[in-house]
Amino acid sequence: EGFFIENDCIFNKDPNKKILFVGDLIDRGYDSLKILEVIKNSILHQDHYMVLGNHEQKLINTYRKFKNNEPAHVFQSSEAVTRTFHEFLKLSKDKQEEYIKFLEKQPHYYIHNDKLIVHANIKNDNIFNLTRQQAIYGTDDALSDVIYTQLKNIENCNKYTLVRGHIPLLNETYTKDKKTSLDIKDTSGVISLEEQAVSKGYLCMYD
């Protein structure tokens, strides 16, 4: 509430209100670089925040390989990824470096009060062992949100509520697991901001 964009920057009438973006800012439409410009300016000039997502990391990796004449395989990726990188290459070399250096400086997690904010699905909130790779790409364990919740609510190992993006909550296609004691309908320890994960809509913000 109260946010507006002016001169490619996000402002709020209340300067104490800030936005924390949970990654995958690009490859979601036809204006990825415009969105990246707005968010970069908002972070640098209005003290908003972001954690890096796997799509930003892919842009970094692809750019570095392309620059070093290494195989990047970008054109074997999705249409959205290919389109973003094709547009990225049209930028001046200085602008390319500006974006890449900005993204490389972004953290892989934030802690705000009782919330741990990362991009991807993880199973525990031990930030001292949380690698950049884990926070950006997540785990392929289909019960990761359930496990995170159990470690938080039952075993008291996870002390933070996890706020993430990347994929919807991982509980909707499962029923009671007969092999474990997990209640695989309980993902109350995790809030996913991915499309259709909150209130079954296109919500991408959590207040």
Side-chain angles (χ1 to χ4, degrees):
E1 182 179 353
F3 291 100
F4 61 95
I5 297 176
E6 187 175 276
N7 296 325
D8 289 341
C9 192
I10 300 173
F11 297 87
N12 194 292
K13 296 177 182 177
D14 181 353
N16 293 316
K17 286 188 175 182
K18 303 299 178 183
I19 298 175
L20 197 161
F21 299 93
V22 295
D24 280 5
L25 311 175
I26 59 175
D27 305 332
R28 291 296 186 107
Y30 290 92
D31 293 313
S32 286
L33 299 184
K34 178 70 171 181
I35 291 170
L36 182 56
E37 176 71 12
V38 170
I39 292 176
K40 175 183 71 69
N41 292 338
S42 302
I43 290 172
L44 295 179
H45 305 304
Q46 288 295 312
D47 298 325
H48 294 296
Y49 308 91
M50 72 171 282
V51 293
L52 205 66
N54 57 296
H55 281 259
E56 291 82 50
Q57 188 63 56
K58 179 175 288 188
L59 177 62
I60 294 170
N61 296 344
T62 303
Y63 173 76
R64 292 303 184 200
K65 288 181 179 180
F66 187 86
K67 188 176 179 181
N68 294 330
N69 295 316
E70 300 174 19
H73 305 297
V74 64
F75 299 110
Q76 299 176 16
S77 301
S78 69
E79 178 185 350
V81 172
T82 302
R83 180 174 58 243
T84 298
F85 193 67
H86 181 73
E87 293 299 317
F88 188 80
L89 292 179
K90 295 179 181 179
L91 301 174
S92 69
K93 299 298 183 183
D94 288 344
K95 195 65 176 179
Q96 291 174 9
E97 281 291 332
E98 178 185 331
Y99 281 141
I100 294 300
K101 289 178 180 179
F102 164 74
L103 290 174
E104 287 178 331
K105 290 180 180 179
Q106 301 312 303
H108 58 283
Y109 75 89
Y110 264 106
I111 292 176
H112 179 66
N113 296 329
D114 63 342
K115 305 291 192 303
L116 171 64
I117 301 102
V118 299
H119 173 67
N121 55 312
I122 58 176
K123 291 189 283 188
N124 67 76
D125 67 0
N126 186 340
I127 59 174
F128 299 105
N129 293 328
L130 179 63
T131 67
R132 199 170 180 84
Q133 176 85 7
Q134 291 168 337
I136 292 174
Y137 291 98
T139 173
D140 58 2
D141 190 333
L143 291 175
S144 60
D145 291 337
V146 175
I147 293 171
Y148 188 97
T149 297
Q150 182 173 24
L151 290 175
K152 180 179 186 296
N153 294 347
I154 299 176
E155 301 182 25
N156 296 318
C157 295
N158 290 338
K159 61 181 180 178
Y160 299 106
T161 295
L162 178 66
V163 180
R164 64 166 181 79
H166 196 50
I167 53 176
L169 285 171
L170 294 171
N171 72 329
E172 296 185 354
T173 60
Y174 294 88
T175 56
K176 185 73 176 181
D177 190 339
K178 297 179 181 179
K179 297 180 181 180
T180 72
S181 60
L182 294 179
D183 178 0
I184 58 176
K185 292 183 179 181
D186 185 8
T187 57
S188 59
V190 180
I191 298 169
S192 173
L193 305 185
E194 180 61 24
E195 178 184 331
Q196 297 184 353
V198 182
S199 302
K200 304 296 183 181
Y202 287 86
L203 183 64
C204 60
M205 180 177 288
Y206 173 77
D207 187 351

Coordinates of all heavy atoms in Angstrom, one line a residue, residues 50-108:
M50 N 16.4 -7.5 -1.9 CA 16.1 -8.7 -2.7 C 17.0 -9.8 -2.3 O 18.1 -9.6 -1.7 CB 16.2 -8.4 -4.2 CG 17.6 -8.3 -4.7 SD 17.8 -8.3 -6.5 CE 17.6 -10.1 -6.9
V51 N 16.5 -11.0 -2.5 CA 17.4 -12.2 -2.4 C 17.5 -12.7 -3.8 O 16.5 -12.6 -4.6 CB 16.9 -13.3 -1.4 CG1 17.0 -12.8 0.0 CG2 15.5 -13.7 -1.8
L52 N 18.6 -13.3 -4.2 CA 18.8 -13.8 -5.5 C 18.0 -15.0 -5.8 O 17.9 -15.9 -5.0 CB 20.3 -14.0 -5.7 CG 20.9 -14.0 -7.1 CD1 20.8 -12.5 -7.7 CD2 22.3 -14.4 -7.2
G53 N 17.5 -15.1 -7.0 CA 16.8 -16.3 -7.5 C 17.6 -17.1 -8.5 O 18.6 -16.6 -9.0
N54 N 17.1 -18.3 -8.8 CA 17.9 -19.1 -9.8 C 17.9 -18.5 -11.2 O 18.9 -18.7 -11.9 CB 17.3 -20.5 -9.8 CG 15.8 -20.6 -10.2 OD1 15.0 -20.1 -9.5 ND2 15.5 -21.2 -11.3
H55 N 16.9 -17.7 -11.6 CA 16.9 -17.1 -12.9 C 18.0 -16.0 -13.0 O 18.6 -15.8 -14.0 CB 15.6 -16.6 -13.3 CG 14.6 -17.7 -13.7 ND1 14.4 -17.9 -15.0 CD2 13.9 -18.6 -13.0 CE1 13.5 -18.9 -15.1 NE2 13.3 -19.4 -13.9
E56 N 18.1 -15.2 -11.9 CA 19.2 -14.2 -11.9 C 20.6 -14.9 -11.9 O 21.5 -14.4 -12.6 CB 19.1 -13.3 -10.7 CG 17.9 -12.4 -10.7 CD 16.6 -13.0 -10.2 OE1 16.6 -13.7 -9.2 OE2 15.6 -12.9 -11.0
Q57 N 20.7 -16.0 -11.1 CA 22.0 -16.7 -11.1 C 22.3 -17.3 -12.5 O 23.4 -17.3 -12.9 CB 21.9 -17.8 -10.1 CG 23.3 -18.5 -9.8 CD 24.3 -17.6 -9.3 OE1 24.1 -16.9 -8.3 NE2 25.4 -17.5 -10.0
K58 N 21.2 -17.8 -13.2 CA 21.4 -18.3 -14.5 C 21.9 -17.2 -15.5 O 22.8 -17.5 -16.3 CB 20.1 -18.9 -15.1 CG 20.3 -19.5 -16.5 CD 19.0 -20.1 -16.9 CE 18.8 -21.5 -16.2 NZ 17.6 -22.2 -16.7
L59 N 21.4 -16.0 -15.3 CA 21.9 -14.9 -16.2 C 23.4 -14.6 -15.9 O 24.2 -14.4 -16.8 CB 21.0 -13.7 -15.9 CG 21.5 -12.4 -16.6 CD1 21.4 -12.6 -18.2 CD2 20.6 -11.2 -16.2
I60 N 23.7 -14.6 -14.6 CA 25.1 -14.4 -14.2 C 26.0 -15.4 -14.8 O 27.0 -15.1 -15.4 CB 25.3 -14.4 -12.7 CG1 24.5 -13.2 -12.0 CG2 26.7 -14.3 -12.3 CD1 24.4 -13.2 -10.5
N61 N 25.7 -16.7 -14.6 CA 26.5 -17.8 -15.1 C 26.6 -17.8 -16.6 O 27.7 -18.0 -17.2 CB 25.9 -19.1 -14.6 CG 25.9 -19.3 -13.1 OD1 26.6 -18.6 -12.4 ND2 25.1 -20.2 -12.6
T62 N 25.5 -17.5 -17.3 CA 25.5 -17.5 -18.7 C 26.3 -16.4 -19.3 O 27.1 -16.6 -20.2 CB 24.0 -17.4 -19.3 OG1 23.3 -18.5 -18.8 CG2 24.0 -17.5 -20.8
Y63 N 26.2 -15.2 -18.7 CA 27.0 -14.1 -19.1 C 28.5 -14.3 -18.9 O 29.3 -14.0 -19.8 CB 26.6 -12.9 -18.3 CG 27.4 -11.6 -18.6 CD1 27.3 -10.9 -19.8 CD2 28.4 -11.2 -17.7 CE1 28.1 -9.8 -20.0 CE2 29.2 -10.2 -17.9 CZ 29.1 -9.4 -19.1 OH 29.9 -8.4 -19.3
R64 N 28.9 -14.9 -17.8 CA 30.3 -15.1 -17.5 C 30.8 -16.1 -18.5 O 32.0 -16.0 -19.0 CB 30.5 -15.6 -16.1 CG 30.2 -14.5 -15.0 CD 31.0 -13.3 -15.2 NE 30.8 -12.3 -14.2 CZ 31.1 -11.0 -14.3 NH1 31.6 -10.6 -15.4 NH2 30.9 -10.2 -13.3
K65 N 30.1 -17.2 -18.8 CA 30.5 -18.2 -19.8 C 30.6 -17.6 -21.2 O 31.6 -17.8 -21.9 CB 29.6 -19.4 -19.8 CG 29.7 -20.2 -18.6 CD 28.7 -21.4 -18.6 CE 28.8 -22.3 -17.4 NZ 27.9 -23.5 -17.5
F66 N 29.6 -16.8 -21.6 CA 29.6 -16.2 -22.9 C 30.8 -15.2 -23.0 O 31.4 -15.2 -24.1 CB 28.2 -15.4 -23.0 CG 28.0 -14.8 -24.4 CD1 27.5 -15.6 -25.4 CD2 28.4 -13.5 -24.7 CE1 27.2 -15.1 -26.7 CE2 28.2 -13.0 -26.0 CZ 27.6 -13.8 -27.0
K67 N 31.0 -14.5 -22.0 CA 32.1 -13.5 -22.1 C 33.5 -14.2 -22.2 O 34.4 -13.7 -22.8 CB 32.1 -12.7 -20.8 CG 33.1 -11.5 -20.8 CD 33.0 -10.6 -19.6 CE 34.0 -9.5 -19.6 NZ 33.9 -8.6 -18.4
N68 N 33.6 -15.4 -21.6 CA 34.8 -16.2 -21.6 C 34.9 -17.2 -22.8 O 35.8 -18.0 -22.8 CB 35.0 -16.9 -20.3 CG 35.2 -16.0 -19.1 OD1 35.8 -14.9 -19.3 ND2 34.8 -16.4 -17.9
N69 N 33.9 -17.0 -23.7 CA 33.9 -17.9 -24.9 C 33.7 -19.4 -24.5 O 34.2 -20.3 -25.2 CB 35.1 -17.7 -25.8 CG 35.2 -16.3 -26.4 OD1 34.2 -15.8 -26.9 ND2 36.4 -15.7 -26.3
E70 N 33.0 -19.6 -23.4 CA 32.7 -21.0 -23.0 C 31.3 -21.3 -23.5 O 30.5 -20.5 -23.6 CB 32.8 -21.1 -21.5 CG 34.2 -20.8 -20.9 CD 34.1 -20.8 -19.4 OE1 33.2 -21.4 -18.8 OE2 35.0 -20.2 -18.8
P71 N 31.0 -22.6 -23.7 CA 29.7 -23.0 -24.0 C 28.7 -22.6 -23.0 O 28.8 -22.9 -21.8 CB 29.8 -24.6 -24.1 CG 31.2 -24.8 -24.3 CD 31.9 -23.8 -23.6
A72 N 27.6 -21.8 -23.4 CA 26.6 -21.3 -22.4 C 25.3 -22.1 -22.5 O 24.6 -22.1 -21.5 CB 26.4 -19.8 -22.6
H73 N 25.0 -22.6 -23.7 CA 23.8 -23.4 -23.9 C 22.5 -22.7 -23.6 O 21.5 -23.3 -23.3 CB 23.8 -24.7 -23.0 CG 25.0 -25.6 -23.2 ND1 25.3 -26.1 -24.5 CD2 26.0 -25.9 -22.4 CE1 26.5 -26.8 -24.4 NE2 26.9 -26.7 -23.1
V74 N 22.6 -21.3 -23.7 CA 21.4 -20.6 -23.3 C 20.3 -20.8 -24.3 O 19.1 -20.8 -23.9 CB 21.8 -19.1 -23.2 CG1 22.2 -18.5 -24.6 CG2 20.6 -18.3 -22.7
F75 N 20.6 -21.0 -25.5 CA 19.6 -21.2 -26.5 C 18.9 -22.6 -26.5 O 18.1 -22.9 -27.3 CB 20.1 -20.8 -27.9 CG 20.6 -19.4 -28.0 CD1 22.0 -19.2 -28.1 CD2 19.7 -18.4 -27.9 CE1 22.4 -17.8 -28.2 CE2 20.2 -17.0 -28.0 CZ 21.5 -16.8 -28.1
Q76 N 19.4 -23.4 -25.6 CA 18.7 -24.7 -25.3 C 17.8 -24.5 -24.1 O 17.1 -25.5 -23.7 CB 19.7 -25.8 -25.0 CG 20.7 -26.0 -26.2 CD 21.7 -27.1 -25.9 OE1 21.6 -27.8 -24.9 NE2 22.8 -27.1 -26.7
S77 N 17.7 -23.3 -23.5 CA 16.9 -23.1 -22.4 C 15.4 -22.7 -22.8 O 15.1 -22.8 -24.0 CB 17.4 -22.0 -21.5 OG 18.8 -22.3 -21.1
S78 N 14.6 -22.3 -21.9 CA 13.2 -22.0 -22.2 C 13.2 -20.7 -23.0 O 14.2 -20.0 -23.2 CB 12.5 -21.7 -20.9 OG 12.9 -20.5 -20.3
E79 N 12.1 -20.5 -23.7 CA 11.9 -19.3 -24.5 C 12.1 -18.0 -23.7 O 12.8 -17.1 -24.2 CB 10.5 -19.3 -25.1 CG 10.2 -18.1 -26.0 CD 8.7 -18.1 -26.5 OE1 8.0 -19.1 -26.3 OE2 8.3 -17.0 -27.0
A80 N 11.6 -18.0 -22.5 CA 11.8 -16.8 -21.7 C 13.2 -16.5 -21.3 O 13.7 -15.3 -21.4 CB 11.0 -16.9 -20.4
V81 N 14.0 -17.5 -21.0 CA 15.4 -17.4 -20.6 C 16.2 -16.9 -21.9 O 17.0 -16.0 -21.8 CB 16.0 -18.7 -20.1 CG1 17.5 -18.6 -19.9 CG2 15.3 -19.0 -18.7
T82 N 15.9 -17.5 -23.0 CA 16.6 -17.2 -24.2 C 16.3 -15.7 -24.6 O 17.2 -15.0 -25.1 CB 16.1 -18.1 -25.4 OG1 16.4 -19.5 -25.0 CG2 16.8 -17.8 -26.7
R83 N 15.0 -15.3 -24.5 CA 14.6 -14.0 -24.9 C 15.3 -13.0 -24.0 O 15.8 -11.9 -24.5 CB 13.1 -13.8 -24.7 CG 12.6 -12.5 -25.1 CD 11.1 -12.4 -25.1 NE 10.5 -12.8 -23.8 CZ 9.7 -13.8 -23.6 NH1 9.4 -14.6 -24.6 NH2 9.2 -14.1 -22.5
T84 N 15.4 -13.2 -22.7 CA 16.0 -12.3 -21.8 C 17.5 -12.1 -22.1 O 18.0 -11.0 -22.2 CB 15.9 -12.7 -20.3 OG1 14.5 -12.8 -20.0 CG2 16.6 -11.8 -19.4
F85 N 18.2 -13.2 -22.4 CA 19.6 -13.1 -22.6 C 19.8 -12.5 -24.0 O 20.8 -11.7 -24.2 CB 20.3 -14.5 -22.6 CG 21.8 -14.5 -22.6 CD1 22.4 -14.0 -21.5 CD2 22.5 -14.9 -23.7 CE1 23.8 -13.9 -21.4 CE2 23.9 -14.8 -23.6 CZ 24.5 -14.3 -22.5
H86 N 19.0 -12.7 -25.0 CA 19.1 -12.1 -26.3 C 19.0 -10.6 -26.1 O 19.8 -9.8 -26.7 CB 18.0 -12.6 -27.2 CG 18.1 -12.0 -28.6 ND1 19.1 -12.4 -29.5 CD2 17.3 -11.1 -29.2 CE1 18.9 -11.7 -30.6 NE2 17.8 -10.9 -30.5
E87 N 18.0 -10.1 -25.3 CA 17.9 -8.7 -25.1 C 19.0 -8.1 -24.3 O 19.5 -7.0 -24.5 CB 16.6 -8.4 -24.3 CG 15.3 -8.7 -25.2 CD 15.2 -7.9 -26.4 OE1 15.5 -6.6 -26.3 OE2 14.9 -8.4 -27.5
F88 N 19.5 -9.0 -23.4 CA 20.7 -8.5 -22.5 C 21.9 -8.2 -23.4 O 22.6 -7.3 -23.1 CB 21.0 -9.6 -21.5 CG 22.0 -9.3 -20.5 CD1 21.6 -8.5 -19.4 CD2 23.3 -9.7 -20.6 CE1 22.6 -8.1 -18.4 CE2 24.3 -9.3 -19.6 CZ 23.9 -8.6 -18.5
L89 N 22.1 -9.1 -24.4 CA 23.3 -8.9 -25.3 C 23.2 -7.6 -26.1 O 24.2 -7.2 -26.6 CB 23.5 -10.1 -26.2 CG 23.9 -11.4 -25.4 CD1 24.0 -12.5 -26.5 CD2 25.2 -11.2 -24.7
K90 N 22.0 -7.1 -26.2 CA 21.9 -5.8 -27.0 C 22.3 -4.6 -26.2 O 22.5 -3.5 -26.8 CB 20.4 -5.6 -27.4 CG 19.9 -6.7 -28.4 CD 18.4 -6.4 -28.7 CE 17.9 -7.5 -29.7 NZ 16.5 -7.2 -30.0
L91 N 22.4 -4.8 -24.9 CA 22.9 -3.7 -24.0 C 24.3 -3.3 -24.3 O 25.1 -4.2 -24.8 CB 22.6 -4.0 -22.6 CG 21.2 -4.3 -22.1 CD1 21.2 -4.8 -20.7 CD2 20.3 -3.1 -22.3
S92 N 24.7 -2.2 -23.9 CA 26.2 -1.8 -23.9 C 26.9 -2.7 -23.0 O 26.4 -3.2 -22.0 CB 26.4 -0.3 -23.6 OG 26.1 -0.1 -22.2
K93 N 28.2 -2.9 -23.2 CA 29.1 -3.7 -22.3 C 29.1 -3.1 -20.9 O 29.0 -3.9 -19.9 CB 30.5 -3.7 -22.9 CG 30.6 -4.3 -24.3 CD 30.2 -5.8 -24.3 CE 30.4 -6.3 -25.7 NZ 29.9 -7.7 -25.8
D94 N 29.1 -1.8 -20.8 CA 29.1 -1.2 -19.5 C 27.8 -1.5 -18.7 O 27.8 -1.8 -17.5 CB 29.2 0.3 -19.6 CG 30.7 0.7 -20.0 OD1 31.6 -0.2 -19.9 OD2 30.9 1.8 -20.4
K95 N 26.7 -1.5 -19.4 CA 25.4 -1.8 -18.8 C 25.3 -3.2 -18.4 O 24.7 -3.6 -17.3 CB 24.2 -1.4 -19.7 CG 22.9 -1.3 -19.0 CD 22.8 -0.2 -18.0 CE 21.5 0.0 -17.4 NZ 21.4 1.1 -16.4
Q96 N 25.8 -4.1 -19.2 CA 25.8 -5.5 -18.9 C 26.6 -5.8 -17.6 O 26.1 -6.5 -16.7 CB 26.4 -6.3 -20.0 CG 25.6 -6.4 -21.3 CD 26.3 -7.0 -22.5 OE1 27.4 -7.6 -22.3 NE2 25.8 -6.9 -23.7
E97 N 27.7 -5.2 -17.5 CA 28.6 -5.4 -16.3 C 27.9 -4.7 -15.1 O 28.0 -5.3 -14.0 CB 29.9 -4.7 -16.5 CG 30.9 -5.6 -17.3 CD 31.3 -6.8 -16.6 OE1 31.3 -6.8 -15.4 OE2 31.6 -7.8 -17.3
E98 N 27.2 -3.6 -15.3 CA 26.5 -3.0 -14.2 C 25.4 -3.9 -13.6 O 25.4 -4.0 -12.4 CB 25.8 -1.7 -14.7 CG 25.0 -0.9 -13.6 CD 24.3 0.3 -14.2 OE1 24.8 0.9 -15.2 OE2 23.2 0.6 -13.7
Y99 N 24.7 -4.5 -14.5 CA 23.6 -5.4 -14.0 C 24.2 -6.7 -13.3 O 23.8 -7.1 -12.2 CB 22.7 -5.9 -15.1 CG 21.7 -4.9 -15.5 CD1 21.4 -4.7 -16.9 CD2 21.0 -4.1 -14.6 CE1 20.4 -3.8 -17.3 CE2 20.0 -3.2 -15.0 CZ 19.8 -3.0 -16.3 OH 18.8 -2.1 -16.7
I100 N 25.2 -7.2 -13.9 CA 25.8 -8.5 -13.4 C 26.5 -8.2 -12.0 O 26.3 -9.0 -11.1 CB 26.9 -9.1 -14.4 CG1 26.2 -9.5 -15.7 CG2 27.6 -10.2 -13.7 CD1 25.1 -10.6 -15.5
K101 N 27.2 -7.1 -11.9 CA 27.8 -6.8 -10.6 C 26.8 -6.5 -9.6 O 27.0 -6.9 -8.4 CB 28.8 -5.6 -10.8 CG 30.1 -6.0 -11.6 CD 31.0 -4.8 -11.8 CE 32.2 -5.2 -12.6 NZ 33.1 -4.0 -12.8
F102 N 25.7 -5.9 -9.9 CA 24.7 -5.6 -9.0 C 24.1 -6.9 -8.5 O 23.9 -7.1 -7.3 CB 23.6 -4.8 -9.6 CG 22.3 -4.8 -8.9 CD1 22.1 -4.0 -7.7 CD2 21.2 -5.5 -9.4 CE1 20.9 -4.1 -7.0 CE2 20.0 -5.5 -8.7 CZ 19.8 -4.8 -7.5
L103 N 23.8 -7.8 -9.4 CA 23.2 -9.1 -9.0 C 24.1 -9.9 -8.1 O 23.7 -10.6 -7.2 CB 22.8 -9.9 -10.2 CG 21.6 -9.3 -11.0 CD1 21.3 -10.1 -12.3 CD2 20.3 -9.3 -10.2
E104 N 25.4 -9.9 -8.5 CA 26.4 -10.7 -7.7 C 26.5 -10.2 -6.3 O 26.9 -11.0 -5.4 CB 27.7 -10.7 -8.4 CG 27.8 -11.5 -9.7 CD 29.1 -11.4 -10.4 OE1 29.8 -10.3 -10.3 OE2 29.5 -12.3 -11.1
K105 N 26.2 -9.0 -6.0 CA 26.3 -8.5 -4.7 C 25.0 -8.8 -3.8 O 25.1 -8.6 -2.6 CB 26.4 -7.0 -4.7 CG 27.8 -6.5 -5.3 CD 27.9 -5.0 -5.3 CE 29.2 -4.5 -5.8 NZ 29.3 -3.1 -5.9
Q106 N 24.0 -9.3 -4.4 CA 22.8 -9.6 -3.7 C 22.9 -10.8 -2.8 O 23.5 -11.8 -3.2 CB 21.6 -9.7 -4.6 CG 21.3 -8.4 -5.4 CD 21.4 -7.1 -4.6 OE1 20.6 -7.0 -3.7 NE2 22.3 -6.2 -5.0
P107 N 22.3 -10.8 -1.6 CA 22.4 -11.9 -0.6 C 21.5 -13.1 -1.0 O 20.6 -12.9 -1.9 CB 22.0 -11.3 0.7 CG 21.0 -10.2 0.3 CD 21.5 -9.7 -1.0
H108 N 21.8 -14.2 -0.4 CA 20.9 -15.4 -0.7 C 19.9 -15.6 0.4 O 19.1 -16.5 0.3 CB 21.8 -16.6 -0.9 CG 22.7 -17.0 0.2 ND1 23.9 -16.4 0.5 CD2 22.6 -18.0 1.2 CE1 24.4 -16.9 1.5 NE2 23.7 -17.9 2.0

